[in-house]
Amino acid sequence: DTEVTQTPKHLVMGMTNKKSLKCEQHMGHRAMYWYKQKAKKPPELMFVYSYEKLSINESVPSRFSPECPNSSLLNLHLHALQPEDSALYLCASSPLAGGSGELFFGEGSRLTVL
Amino acid sequence: AQSVAQPEDQVNVAEGNPLTVKCTYSVSGNPYLFWYVQYPNRGLQFLLKYITGDNLVKGSYGFEAEFNKSQTSFHLKKPSALVSDSALYFCAVSALGGSARQLTFGSGTQLTVLP
């Protein structure tokens, strides 16, 4: 069982909707990540938060807006998405100090944009 | 720059036979190497990692991997495959090991274990 919890598991939205994906971890990790994954492809890094501050934005379109309210929570706000944004969105966490790069992934939120 | 190659998109093996999923890497400095597995409609699960020490690393579910510095390889192995091992496997490398923003994934290998 994963210790990174993502909700919702499935989301269908229209191109004009506003929705949010949520991620929670209680492992005390101070780095949290959003990845996008298309079917049968490797995950693509979107955002990295370190100590609740955005440290990496991999040139992600502004229709994706991340938020890290505290050290346990990570949100991804979605607005005016395109059908090509349909994918599995994975949240991950890792320790910072003393970590070895190992990531702990959630089960993902499968997004369909109509 | 760092990179990972998984030369086989698909590996088929009969149940009970040994399996190997290949991975080669390119990185400056000492590599931190990882294997993850993904079952259908699930997230990625960590299998094992190589940081330093013994070249043979043992991980979850009976999997192991052999680090070969001269061949820059980190192949995943299991002595006896199970049908339940059928999944998508990703090799990943990190140059510094402490920052996942430098974690680079291979393209993935679909493993099918035939009953």
Side-chain angles (χ1 to χ4, degrees):
Chain A
D1 290 339
T2 181
E3 296 183 70
V4 177
T5 304
Q6 292 188 240
T7 56
K9 293 190 184 304
H10 300 276
L11 178 63
V12 179
M13 58 186 294
M15 290 189 285
T16 59
N17 292 158
K18 287 185 179 181
K19 297 287 184 182
S20 297
L21 305 180
K22 298 182 183 302
C23 175
E24 186 170 6
Q25 58 90 14
H26 294 288
M27 294 180 282
H29 292 167
R30 301 306 296 275
M32 296 186 76
Y33 315 84
W34 280 115
Y35 282 84
K36 175 183 177 181
Q37 186 184 25
K38 292 283 197 178
K40 304 293 188 183
K41 298 295 185 182
E44 300 171 19
L45 183 64
M46 299 175 71
F47 302 104
V48 180
Y49 274 83
S50 301
Y51 297 109
E52 297 86 68
K53 295 188 188 308
L54 183 65
S55 58
I56 297 290
N57 177 340
E58 294 286 0
S59 302
V60 179
S62 59
R63 57 185 184 268
F64 295 92
S65 176
E67 178 195 20
C68 190
N70 59 55
S71 60
S72 300
L73 295 174
L74 186 65
N75 298 321
L76 186 63
H77 302 298
L78 315 171
H79 174 55
L81 296 191
Q82 304 297 310
E84 59 265 29
D85 297 322
S86 298
L88 182 67
Y89 288 84
L90 294 165
C91 175
S93 70
S94 73
L96 275 171
S100 57
E102 173 185 345
L103 302 185
F104 296 80
F105 284 88
E107 295 290 358
S109 293
R110 184 162 299 282
L111 173 67
T112 302
V113 182
L114 301 177
Chain B
Q2 59 193 43
S3 64
V4 178
Q6 293 182 242
E8 300 158 318
D9 291 335
Q10 176 81 43
V11 170
N12 296 328
V13 63
E15 187 175 29
N17 282 2
L19 69 87
T20 300
V21 182
K22 296 179 180 177
C23 172
T24 58
Y25 66 90
S26 174
V27 67
S28 299
N30 294 323
Y32 287 23
L33 295 159
F34 308 86
W35 275 102
Y36 286 85
V37 60
Q38 187 173 33
Y39 297 98
N41 300 310
R42 304 292 296 275
L44 272 69
Q45 295 180 29
F46 169 77
L47 275 180
L48 51 79
K49 65 184 176 186
Y50 172 82
I51 305 300
T52 186
D54 290 342
N55 290 341
L56 186 63
V57 179
K58 294 189 182 298
S60 305
Y61 312 120
F63 283 93
E64 58 190 26
E66 186 170 11
F67 172 66
N68 187 317
K69 188 173 183 177
S70 62
Q71 297 185 3
T72 61
S73 67
F74 189 56
H75 301 331
L76 181 70
K77 300 181 180 183
K78 187 173 182 181
S80 178
L82 300 173
V83 172
S84 57
D85 293 329
S86 299
L88 185 57
Y89 290 80
F90 290 103
C91 182
V93 65
S94 175
L96 298 181
S99 172
R101 65 186 171 97
Q102 295 186 344
L103 193 64
T104 301
F105 286 94
S107 56
T109 298
Q110 180 68 48
L111 173 68
T112 300
V113 181
L114 305 168

